[in-house]
């Protein structure tokens, strides 16, 4: 999401304005000098547009109102934000600190909106014109306390903030889209037959659903699912050469078209390189994942034990994926597929509100700071969940972050928030 940073001296009413924008009493209301807030970033919504609001007041290194400290705050805002909201106290007028901050913001090249706060009535508007002298364009009169003018101010903010990227092409309603994938002979067509045969009538009765002829509607767990790109599973196409290549193309296309993939594995045989490639495609495409171990009817005690060891060894990186042990032949545990699919889709769509994410993150960082590298300590400043399907997080930091550390954050995210069945993407944005 685009980031708006709020900057200003203590006591100009930043936090009150932040609360006003959020429409709730989440931020600390008083500008208490030196108080480090546990929340620094919030999800905001105005006129149907979402953005992240960063309250830079929380990082005031020295909040005595001195120009240097506030100028640092402004510099920080310039590096993390797409746009900056500078709040000044219209009743006080331009202070030296305000002027210093304005100079930093002018040089920064980011769009700036100037809020002239504490304009509680028309009389107060007389004070506003003077603020043009800051050289930041039109001052917008607002009363954070009473809400006067805040709508116009937010409209102006949205004008300068870039649009959030599209969420993607899913969630248009209708049955959820499932890819049934796996290397040849794991039992994909057998499973498809097992789940479609006896409910063809139900499936045909789903009114008003136009189904691509290459897809199949399947009823599982009292719900209809759209298995995508199943034509090739029903009618086996054989290639003179390059069979594996065509199979992998089709696998990739099905995964691309789906929200969640069931990767079918043959439990009676060792996990292969080809199984791993299918799993990697799902993870890299960013789809939800369910692992289904098929041919369970063929397993004896020894093979079961061996399989557990193979899973521990070869599937470490996707420990988070739900597993079902099934048999397409005997229909064993086929009814376990639907709950597993739902679990994975839930994780795939999950969102952590920015405020909560950052309280959680600041605790994590306090307990486990990033290791010092070359005499330097990378600070983890804040994070946002930039999107879902799959969950994507952006870490704003003061320097490079060890891969092991982002893995640690991912592991903790999974421990504390679940995210079962979904890959998680974490990217780092360095702000100095
Ligand atoms: P696909 O290439 O993945 O579509 O695999 P198929 O569905 O064609 O199955 C390959 C072979 O495995 C066939 O001989 C199936 O009869 C057999 N098979 C599929 N599922 C099972 C199962 O659950 N148990 C056993 N014992 N055999 C199965």
């Amino acid at each position: 999401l685009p980031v708006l940073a709020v900057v200003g001296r203590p006591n100009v009413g930043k936090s009150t304005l932040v609360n006003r924008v959020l429409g709730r009493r989440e931020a600390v209301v008083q500008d208490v000098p030196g108080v480090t807030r546990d929340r620094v970033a919030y999800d905001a919504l105005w006129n149907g547009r979402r953005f992240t609001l960063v309250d830079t007041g929380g990082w005031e290194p020295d909040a005595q109102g001195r120009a240097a400290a506030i100028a640092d705050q402004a510099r920080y805002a310039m590096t993390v934000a797409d746009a900056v909201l500078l709040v000044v106290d219209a009743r006080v007028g331009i202070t030296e600190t305000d002027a210093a901050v304005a100079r930093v913001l002018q040089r920064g090249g980011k769009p700036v909106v100037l809020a002239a706060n504490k304009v509680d009535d028309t009389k107060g508007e007389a004070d506003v014109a003077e603020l043009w002298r800051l050289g930041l364009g039109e001052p917008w009169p607002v009363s954070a306390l009473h809400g006067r003018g805040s709508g116009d101010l937010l409209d102006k903010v949205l004008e300068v903030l870039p649009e959030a990227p599209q969420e993607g092409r899913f969630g248009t309603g209708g049955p959820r889209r499932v890819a049934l994938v796996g290397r040849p002979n794991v039992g994909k067509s057998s499973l498809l037959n097992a789940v479609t045969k006896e409910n063809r009538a139900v499936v045909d009765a789903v009114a008003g659903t136009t189904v691509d002829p290459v897809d199949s509607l399947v009823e599982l767990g009292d719900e209809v699912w759209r298995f995508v790109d199943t034509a090739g599973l029903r009618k086996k196409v054989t290639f003179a050469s390059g069979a594996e290549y065509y199979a992998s193309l089709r696998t990739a296309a099905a995964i691309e078209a789906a929200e969640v993939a069931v990767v079918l594995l043959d439990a009676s045989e060792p996990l292969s390189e080809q199984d791993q490639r299918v799993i990697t495609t799902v993870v890299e495409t960013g789809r939800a994942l369910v692992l289904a171990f098929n041919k369970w009817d063929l397993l004896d005690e020894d093979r079961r034990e061996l399989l557990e060891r193979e899973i521990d060894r070869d599937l470490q990186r996707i420990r988070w994926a739900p597993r079902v042990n099934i048999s397409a032949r005997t229909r064993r545990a086929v009814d376990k597929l639907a709950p597993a699919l739902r679990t994975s889709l839930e994780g795939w769509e999950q969102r952590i509100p920015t405020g909560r994410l950052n309280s959680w993150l600041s605790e994590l960082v306090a307990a486990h700071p990033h290791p010092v590298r070359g005499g330097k300590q990378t600070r983890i400043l804040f994070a946002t969940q930039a999107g879902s399907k799959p969950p994507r997080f952006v870490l704003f930091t003061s320097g490079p972050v060890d891969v092991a550390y982002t893995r640690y954050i991912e592991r903790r995210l999974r421990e504390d928030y679940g995210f079962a069945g979904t890959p998680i993407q974490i990217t780092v944005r360095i702000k100095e």
Side-chain angles (χ1 to χ4, degrees):
L1 293 181
V3 176
L4 175 74
V6 183
V7 171
R9 293 186 296 111
N11 284 319
V12 294
K14 283 192 303 295
S15 299
T16 313
L17 189 60
V18 166
N19 280 330
R20 174 67 56 190
V21 172
L22 297 172
R24 58 196 148 127
R25 311 237 128 237
E26 195 176 3
V28 176
V29 177
Q30 268 180 330
D31 274 345
V32 181
V35 167
T36 310
R37 293 163 199 163
D38 61 341
R39 292 185 177 188
V40 292
Y42 308 85
D43 285 328
L45 180 71
W46 179 251
N47 269 353
R49 271 178 60 190
R50 292 158 45 80
F51 56 96
T52 299
L53 197 152
V54 173
D55 185 355
T56 63
W59 293 294
E60 282 163 356
D62 168 356
Q64 302 307 304
R66 291 210 306 260
I70 311 294
D72 277 348
Q73 185 197 87
R75 267 178 221 111
Y76 176 79
M78 302 303 304
T79 60
V80 299
D82 297 298
V84 178
L85 181 64
L86 173 63
V87 187
V88 298
D89 184 336
R91 293 198 300 216
V92 172
I94 299 175
T95 66
E96 237 176 81
T97 307
D98 295 329
V101 169
R103 280 194 296 275
V104 173
L105 295 180
Q106 278 164 358
R107 284 196 301 267
K110 294 275 171 74
V112 179
V113 175
L114 175 60
N117 193 30
K118 307 196 186 178
V119 181
D120 297 340
D121 48 35
T122 35
K123 258 193 299 175
E125 278 174 15
D127 302 328
V128 175
E130 183 210 330
L131 301 176
W132 280 94
R133 288 201 294 119
L134 282 170
L136 293 171
E138 183 170 2
W140 293 81
V142 65
S143 167
L145 202 56
H146 305 301
R148 193 172 187 272
S150 61
D152 289 348
L153 177 68
L154 282 170
D155 287 345
K156 181 63 194 173
V157 163
L158 286 190
E159 244 175 64
V160 303
L161 261 190
E163 295 267 354
Q166 282 293 311
E167 263 303 70
R169 57 213 171 77
F170 301 114
T172 49
R176 309 303 303 259
R177 305 171 68 91
V178 184
L180 177 58
V181 291
R183 64 175 169 77
N185 285 321
V186 290
K188 296 181 296 297
S189 32
S190 306
L191 179 61
L192 189 66
N193 281 330
V195 295
T196 44
K197 229 172 233 155
E198 64 183 34
N199 53 53
R200 193 167 300 272
V202 180
V203 162
D204 288 343
V206 179
T209 316
T210 47
V211 186
D212 195 307
V214 302
D215 295 346
S216 308
L217 289 176
V218 170
E219 198 192 39
L220 279 178
D222 292 332
E223 197 175 332
V224 176
W225 308 78
R226 181 194 299 258
F227 279 47
V228 298
D229 235 344
T230 47
L233 297 182
R234 295 202 177 285
K235 213 200 277 168
K236 295 251 168 175
V237 188
T238 43
F239 298 97
S241 62
E244 200 185 319
Y245 169 76
Y246 288 106
S248 74
L249 270 194
R250 202 180 59 208
T251 300
I255 292 168
E256 182 66 41
E259 296 164 276
V260 55
V262 176
V263 174
L264 207 58
L265 302 157
D266 184 338
S268 69
E269 289 181 6
L271 290 167
S272 72
E273 190 91 3
Q274 222 179 332
D275 294 323
Q276 293 283 10
R277 274 202 295 276
V278 176
I279 292 168
T280 301
T281 308
V282 176
V283 171
E284 285 179 354
T285 312
R287 300 301 186 258
L289 170 64
V290 169
L291 291 181
F293 288 89
N294 190 33
K295 309 197 188 180
W296 206 259
D297 55 296
L298 297 179
L299 267 61
D300 58 19
E301 200 55 45
D302 287 351
R303 174 60 200 151
R304 252 197 294 262
E305 268 173 37
L306 196 59
L307 178 65
E308 279 308 320
R309 282 209 292 280
E310 283 172 24
I311 290 171
D312 281 345
R313 193 189 57 219
D314 299 335
L315 299 178
Q316 272 286 357
R317 63 187 175 125
I318 47 154
R319 259 174 317 193
W320 41 262
R323 278 154 43 186
V324 288
N325 302 326
I326 63 171
S327 168
R329 174 162 295 169
T330 66
R331 308 182 110 263
R332 173 197 196 269
V334 166
D335 59 349
K336 296 268 162 52
L337 273 172
L341 286 168
R342 286 192 199 105
T343 299
S344 290
L345 282 168
E346 217 171 89
W348 192 61
E349 288 169 343
Q350 188 179 337
R351 272 185 178 279
I352 307 178
T354 306
R356 184 134 57 92
L357 177 65
N358 282 282
S359 337
W360 174 86
L361 183 68
S362 59
E363 255 178 55
L364 178 150
V365 169
H368 282 275
H370 190 277
V372 177
R373 297 276 178 245
K376 279 198 176 167
Q377 163 102 69
T378 289
R379 282 174 305 132
I380 312 297
L381 303 170
F382 72 101
T384 63
Q385 183 172 350
S388 58
K389 306 179 177 189
R392 297 186 299 279
F393 294 90
V394 183
L395 277 184
F396 292 83
T397 71
S398 67
V401 175
D402 289 0
V403 175
Y405 197 76
T406 46
R407 276 209 208 105
Y408 171 67
I409 289 177
E410 176 180 339
R411 199 165 69 239
R412 292 293 311 277
L413 271 173
R414 292 186 185 282
E415 277 169 22
D416 295 341
Y417 290 99
F419 291 111
T422 182
I424 291 178
Q425 297 168 356
I426 299 179
T427 54
V428 172
R429 266 211 249 163
I430 301 175
K431 304 295 181 185
E432 54 257 49

